[in-house]
Amino acid sequence: MSTTRQQPPGDAGPEPGGAGAAPAVPVSGASGGAVRSLPLRSASGIVPLARDFTRQALYDWGWLPAATADRRAAAEDVLLVVSELVTNACLHAEGPEELRVGCDGKVLRLEVTDRGAGQPAPRTPHRAGRPGGHGMFIVQRLCMDWGVLRTPGAPGKTVWAELAAPA
């Protein structure tokens, strides 16, 4: 269901290493959707900041307030995935640089750009009863797809995840 396959540049939204100080305002996406970015490089309280930023986008795009339990669960899944991706960048990748949230009406895409060289992957075997190590397992289970984008010759990476918009 989820992979870490590489996608060609340009197929996945803005390339990593773009203007990290861009304001957190909506801009027109390539597919007619909306994309918002939030610089995280020197922010404090990064995980709650990322969740609040994403929650506001979900309100603006009509995911929230949720009219049904299924729509509420979809929004909560998005917020959990944001938390996991940003937390992983904090713990394993020298900190996040930027969060991008995009929606084209059918798919919501989350991207966290960081400075780390590592390759995120769900721990195998997954041990549900043990603390820690569940982040990418959760992402894998909740998302339609996820992966890692790298720019050749540039440090860091962008970890992306896609979730279906609620029906």
Side-chain angles (χ1 to χ4, degrees):
M1 182 167 190
S2 297
T3 65
T4 56
R5 64 183 158 80
Q6 296 284 341
Q7 290 193 350
D11 288 355
E15 286 294 322
V25 295
V27 296
S28 177
S31 62
V35 178
R36 295 180 180 201
S37 63
L38 176 67
L40 296 171
R41 183 172 304 134
S42 59
S44 61
I46 291 175
V47 176
L49 179 66
R51 284 179 63 92
D52 290 346
F53 176 80
T54 304
R55 184 179 292 111
Q56 184 60 54
L58 294 178
Y59 271 102
D60 293 346
W61 296 335
W63 287 49
L64 292 172
T68 66
D70 285 345
R71 291 180 70 84
R72 189 169 29 262
E76 290 297 324
D77 287 351
V78 169
L79 296 174
L80 178 56
V81 171
V82 164
S83 294
E84 294 299 337
L85 294 178
V86 173
T87 297
N88 279 354
C90 290
L91 295 175
H92 306 293
E94 302 176 39
E97 294 278 316
E98 181 181 35
L99 166 65
R100 283 185 299 276
V101 182
C103 186
D104 68 3
K106 296 180 182 180
V107 175
L108 185 126
R109 184 178 177 99
L110 304 168
E111 297 181 357
V112 176
T113 301
D114 63 49
R115 299 177 291 263
Q119 180 71 21
R123 287 200 182 154
T124 307
H126 178 73
R127 296 190 177 132
R130 300 189 72 178
H134 304 287
M136 293 313 294
F137 180 78
I138 291 168
V139 170
Q140 178 179 349
R141 298 291 283 191
L142 293 179
C143 295
M144 297 182 330
D145 203 4
W146 71 276
V148 177
L149 293 171
R150 295 185 189 276
T151 301
K157 64 189 171 296
T158 298
V159 181
W160 59 269
E162 295 178 337
L163 296 97

